[in-house]
Structure formats: C-alpha cells, structure tokens
Amino acid sequence: MPLWLLTLIALTYSEAFKDHLANPRNAGELANANAVGEETNPVCGDRLRLYLQVKAGRIEAARFLAYGCPPTLVCGSILTELIKGRSVEEATRLTRKDLLAALGGLPSRKQHAAALAIETLRAAIASV
Amino acid sequence: MNDSRKVYLDHSATTPVDPRVVAAMLPYFTQKFGNASSVHFFGQEARAAVDRARREVAALIGARANEIVFLSGGTEANNLAIRGVCEAASGHSRHLITSTIEHSSVRGICEGLGKSGWEITRLPAYEEGVVQAEDVRAALRPNTVLISVMLANNEIGTIQPIEEIAALVREERARGRRQLWFHTDAVQAAGRIPLHVDTLGCDLLSLSAHKLYAPKGAGALFVRRGVRLVSQNVGGHQEREKRAGTEGVPGIVAFGAAAKLAREEMAERSQHDQRLRDRFEAGVTERIGNVVFNGDRGRRLPHLSNISFRFIEGEGLLISLDLQGIAVSTGSACSSGTLEPSPVIRALGRNDELARGAIRFSFGKDNTEQDVEYVLEVLPRVVEKLRALSPLNREEMGRRDLEAIGQN
C-alpha cells in the first residue's frame, strides 16, 4: 500500500469529518421508520442504509447504517443531521454539493461517497 | 483518552532510526564528506567507511563483502535483481516464476516484463499465505531464467520455503542447466530472523536499510559470485559496475551500523517483538469476536500480526485508531487508491469483506507492554463503534437468529 497516499488522505480530512467519524450521529436502526432506502456502490461495494420516520410531509427522525471507507460513514452521519426536521420536499432538493459543504470538503477521489448518500436519500424518500 | 499518547505499530512500513546509528553516520555529513571514488585522503576515508559497512551488511546475511551492491532501497534492489538478470538472459529465454503475494515493486516489475513479451508464472500462496516448492517444480520450463519468491511477506509476515526452492534449483543445475537464477526479497525478514545466503541457497537477495532502524534511502542487493546481470543505472563504475552513481556514504554507513546492531541484538529483539505480538493477539482473541488472523500463525515473522475485523472496513478502523494515537496499516482498497482490496489477502482466498477489513500491526524494539495494553483498551471500543454502524453486522446477526430458530 502506498503510504504517501494514506498520509495525504489523513491530512486532507477536515475536523468536522474526524468528529463525525469518531462520534457518528443518528447511527443504528430506526424502530418506527416508515421509509427505508439502501444503495450500494457497485464499484467498491460501499453500502448505505437510511431509515426515515416521515409524518405529514416532514422528516421527524432519521438514522443510518453504513459499510465502507470513512467518507461513506461520515456522509451517512452528516446526511441524517441535514435532513432531520426538514420537509420531504426540502430534503429532495438536497444535493451532493450541500453534503460536501457540510463536511468541509472531500478529496476528489472520495466524492462518490456523497453521491451514494444522496442516492440513498432519494431511494428512501421514494419508498415513503 | 490521553491525547498525547502515540503508539507506533507500523514497523513493517518503516522503523525509527536507532540513535546509535545516527551517531555513526553524523561525521560523514560534515567532516568525512569525501566522494568514495576520489583518490585523495577525503575520498579514501569515505571508501574505507563504505567497505566497513559492506562487511557488516554481508555479515548480516552470511555473504562475502564483494557480493553486496549498495543502492537506494528495497525497490531498487528488486529492480536490479529481476530486470538485471532478465535483461542479461533475454536473448535466449523469456520465462520467469514469481508468486501472487510479492511486494508491489516485484509485482510491478513482473507486470512490466510481461508487457515486453516475458511469460510470467505467478504461484498461489493458498489459504495460509505460503508458496509450495512443488508448485515451483511444476512451473519450471526449459526457458525459465529466474525464480523470484519473497522470503517473508510484507502484509502477513508468512515465511516462504526458500531453502526448498533453492534445492530444486540445485537439482536443475546438477542436470546441467546453467541459466536459472533464484532471487528472494528479504526486505521484511532481514534483522528479524537469522538469514544466511548459503543456507537459503538463493543467488540474489534484496535488503532495505530503513526496515532495520537505519534511515530511508539505502539498501543492498546480494549478488552471488557468477550471477550475470545488466546494471540498471549506467554512467559510472561504482559498485563493481553494477550500480552507477556516487555512493550515499552517510546512509551506507548507517546501514552498516544498523546491520551490526541487528546481528548482535536479533535474538533479543525478536523475542521482545514476539512477546508483545503474542500478548496482543491473545488480547484481541479474548476481547473481540469475529476476527480472522491472516497467514500461517506458526510460520510468520515474530513482529507482525495481520487481522481481518469482520463487518467493517480497514480504513475507517485505521483512521479511528490514528485519532487515538495508534499507527497501523491496512490493505483496504480505499487507502491504496485502487478499487481492488489487498491482492495479498485476496490471494489467500478471502472474500472482499475480509480483505477490506484487514489491518497490519507490526511491533518494534521500542514498543512496550504499556503500548500493547493501551491498544487492547482502545481497539475493542473502536471496533465496536464501527460495527454498530455496519449493515453487514446486522444481516449476519439476523441470519444467525433465523438459523437458530430454524426458519432458514
């Protein structure tokens, strides 16, 4: 494994990123969820599952499970924070860029993690 | 959590330079700075130091001093050995045998040769991470020029049957075969287990200084007398025409000093590393479920442990440990910038999940019992936290529950 690359990755993660990795928000299953989405990155196998509890068009609660590299875990955690309390309509408009901005950016090679999170969100919303 | 605590468990990546080694090399920067090829006093002083270092490095592996070629490190040693021998033979033969678990430098060199028309046989390492000498016999062809099999693997530490392979090469020679050479990459093994080129029976052997408490930028290739190879660096007469370029005297001096210390302290160091490693593995087994140890545990380097943690991915674990001051290494694809997880772990027949969750812990002479205790305290917490996030974990648990109640 090229160590220089690993060092580069470690150095380019933001403080917000490290905080979400060390203390993931809203992790786990949601017992009374009425919407669930799961997506897998077909290339690297990373997986994200999102549980939503939607009441009267508003996301009351959101929880996630993730398998994969740190950006995937962190995107899951940040996503739940961004959508909690929002209307489904607002959540639908959320983009990859909003997610990247919230976590202080990602190295370009890792941005697919944000795309996976947005796809999972859309899948969950579609299942409402 | 203690914020300032740092535990380095990545000695297979590199080692800190021993202060005694630093002391030995320092005069060669400012006072004894001569070019070892110069005729005057300054040059002769540098030459004498390089020759002393050459004897020390030779002694570490039971070679003669004039069989040691100094160069920049393990990767260059592998390049000179494999490309050098293959180029010297390319007129008549174009087949080489290697393994599926070689260091990336050897993999890259063989890939390059493959593109320029060489036929490459890559031997399997099976579930235990050990190549079988019988497979070498089966792979031998009339036009085989070189066998390159590493002495000990860099990710899982498994020790390969070098002596048995060398015995096959000797048999072939006894039948009158002349152009067949045997190279081994001993970068991970040197200084950690006793090595003697006559017992091993190899013709070429690669070494790196920075894996044995010397600085980066120095290495050596053992070239047994009579082996023909084409220099990969041209334009000077240094190193008996095998490696052109002014010798990096301070690095070579340091390599010599480190080789001497490694020889004198090897038993003590490997006992120390092994005690810590075994304590660590016992602790992991006791405190963490769903782990898989990679590589034959009875046939490994004493300082290294490679463990797959199920349901989680290696880089997340690596960075979480790093945030707690613990430095390890992973073969996870994300970390290496490729999409394929560790080819070495995959070569053992492990699935993607296990390959992605593999972490290498490599101990060194400066690690302490307290380091191990600290890691054993942090690691289970971090693993548990990441597993709590994992959907794989739940499916497995769910499946097991179903099996238990007979619904599956």
Side-chain angles (χ1 to χ4, degrees):
Chain A
M1 174 195 56
L3 207 69
W4 63 269
L5 198 58
L6 198 55
T7 315
L8 191 71
I9 292 163
L11 291 177
T12 46
Y13 287 148
S14 69
E15 286 307 312
F17 184 100
K18 290 180 193 167
D19 182 41
H20 275 274
L21 185 63
N23 311 294
R25 325 289 202 265
N26 309 306
E29 282 153 314
L30 187 61
N32 48 358
N34 54 4
V36 183
E38 175 164 326
E39 291 293 328
T40 301
N41 179 328
V43 184
C44 62
D46 280 10
R47 281 162 77 167
L48 190 60
R49 191 185 299 168
L50 183 67
Y51 301 91
L52 304 177
Q53 191 198 340
V54 181
K55 265 191 201 156
R58 190 161 293 277
I59 299 170
E60 300 273 325
R63 295 180 80 83
F64 81 102
L65 291 174
Y67 168 79
C69 59
T72 299
L73 311 185
V74 167
C75 283
S77 171
I78 286 194
L79 178 67
T80 58
E81 282 207 320
L82 286 180
I83 59 175
K84 239 163 100 174
R86 291 210 193 191
S87 71
V88 170
E89 193 164 347
E90 284 172 313
T92 311
R93 285 200 300 270
L94 210 63
T95 66
R96 198 166 60 99
K97 282 189 180 144
D98 300 324
L99 209 59
L100 289 172
L103 57 81
L106 270 184
S108 59
R109 268 186 329 97
K110 299 281 190 175
Q111 294 195 359
H112 61 80
L116 180 70
I118 295 298
E119 279 172 36
T120 310
L121 171 64
R122 297 197 172 143
I125 289 173
S127 79
V128 175
Chain B
M1 171 187 143
N2 180 347
D3 277 333
S4 60
R5 178 121 205 183
K6 293 265 186 278
V7 177
Y8 185 78
L9 293 185
D10 203 11
H11 291 82
S12 278
T14 195
T15 54
V17 182
D18 189 308
R20 295 168 292 179
V21 170
V22 176
M25 80 188 288
L26 280 180
Y28 293 87
F29 286 102
T30 49
Q31 299 146 27
K32 307 178 179 183
F33 57 84
N35 183 326
S37 298
S38 297
V39 177
H40 48 61
F41 170 79
F42 294 91
Q44 293 314 300
E45 194 174 46
R47 165 64 47 210
V50 168
D51 287 342
R52 270 197 305 278
R54 201 183 302 281
R55 286 194 292 275
E56 290 301 346
V57 171
L60 180 65
I61 56 169
R64 281 184 285 252
N66 60 15
E67 293 172 316
I68 298 296
V69 178
F70 283 125
L71 29 68
S72 67
T75 294
E76 192 190 342
N78 289 337
N79 270 272
L80 177 56
I82 301 173
R83 293 161 62 101
V85 165
C86 288
E87 249 176 64
S90 64
H92 47 89
S93 300
R94 294 174 83 82
H95 176 240
L96 84 89
I97 299 171
T98 181
S99 84
T100 49
I101 57 164
E102 295 299 308
H103 182 259
S104 59
S105 61
V106 171
R107 280 208 306 273
I109 296 161
C110 292
E111 220 169 273
L113 286 168
K115 281 181 190 146
S116 54
W118 280 72
E119 294 166 62
I120 319 284
T121 303
R122 292 176 181 84
L123 304 172
Y126 303 98
E127 208 181 321
E128 301 297 330
V130 181
V131 165
Q132 300 299 313
E134 278 311 305
D135 290 344
V136 177
R137 189 194 296 277
L140 273 173
R141 301 182 196 170
N143 67 341
T144 308
V145 174
L146 180 71
I147 301 164
S148 180
V149 173
M150 67 199 332
L151 211 152
N153 180 265
N154 52 305
E155 285 187 44
I156 54 177
T158 47
I159 297 167
Q160 307 302 317
I162 300 304
E163 295 170 28
E164 289 172 52
I165 298 171
L168 287 180
V169 173
R170 272 198 303 275
E171 268 176 45
E172 290 293 309
R173 285 186 187 142
R175 291 200 197 108
R177 184 169 180 144
R178 295 184 55 196
Q179 298 292 331
L180 175 67
W181 309 110
F182 180 27
H183 164 249
T184 188
D185 171 358
V187 164
Q188 290 292 337
R192 294 190 170 117
I193 54 173
L195 302 180
H196 196 294
V197 289
D198 290 337
T199 318
L200 292 169
C202 57
D203 302 305
L204 302 119
L205 180 145
S206 302
L207 294 171
S208 168
H210 75 98
K211 310 286 192 195
L212 36 97
Y213 305 97
K216 293 136 195 84
L221 179 66
F222 157 76
V223 184
R224 193 180 289 281
R225 195 186 285 177
V227 175
R228 282 187 51 228
L229 52 76
V230 175
S231 172
Q232 301 296 299
N233 264 32
V234 291
H237 302 295
Q238 291 90 351
E239 300 299 301
R240 296 174 163 251
E241 310 276 341
K242 291 191 173 72
R243 203 268 189 174
T246 300
E247 288 93 343
V249 178
I252 289 172
V253 168
F255 191 9
K260 180 168 189 281
L261 290 170
R263 189 162 46 90
E264 291 167 355
E265 298 175 2
M266 190 177 308
E268 188 191 324
R269 285 182 191 176
S270 58
Q271 273 166 26
H272 168 84
D273 292 355
Q274 185 166 351
R275 199 180 63 243
L276 296 186
R277 193 267 314 263
D278 292 349
R279 166 77 199 103
F280 167 73
E281 289 193 339
V284 168
T285 308
E286 200 180 285
R287 299 178 199 189
I288 307 175
N290 283 303
V291 296
V292 176
F293 291 89
N294 296 310
D296 186 338
R297 291 175 80 179
R299 202 190 160 104
R300 283 184 302 173
L301 292 177
H303 75 293
L304 193 150
S305 177
N306 188 302
I307 306 175
S308 291
F309 296 87
R310 295 203 56 199
F311 315 128
I312 57 182
E313 196 270 343
E315 196 192 336
L317 186 48
L318 180 142
I319 292 177
S320 303
L321 289 173
D322 186 41
L323 293 175
Q324 310 263 353
I326 300 168
V328 299
S329 142
T330 173
S332 141
C334 287
S335 304
S336 57
T338 62
L339 292 167
E340 279 293 305
S342 165
V344 172
I345 310 290
R346 291 289 282 127
L348 310 183
R350 305 273 194 254
N351 63 24
D352 277 352
E353 180 209 336
L354 287 174
R356 289 188 73 182
I359 297 275
R360 178 183 71 185
F361 304 84
S362 47
F363 296 83
K365 69 185 179 70
D366 301 323
N367 285 129
T368 62
E369 308 264 347
Q370 289 75 34
D371 289 344
V372 175
E373 289 315 311
Y374 177 65
V375 176
L376 284 176
E377 183 193 306
V378 173
L379 183 63
R381 279 210 315 264
V382 171
V383 169
E384 197 186 341
K385 210 169 205 175
L386 290 169
R387 281 183 177 168
L389 291 183
S390 175
L392 304 188
N393 193 6
R394 272 142 230 275
E395 277 156 24
E396 179 79 9
M397 301 302 180
R399 201 158 47 231
R400 233 179 285 147
D401 291 348
L402 285 176
E403 276 163 18
I405 56 174
Q407 290 190 353
N408 197 16

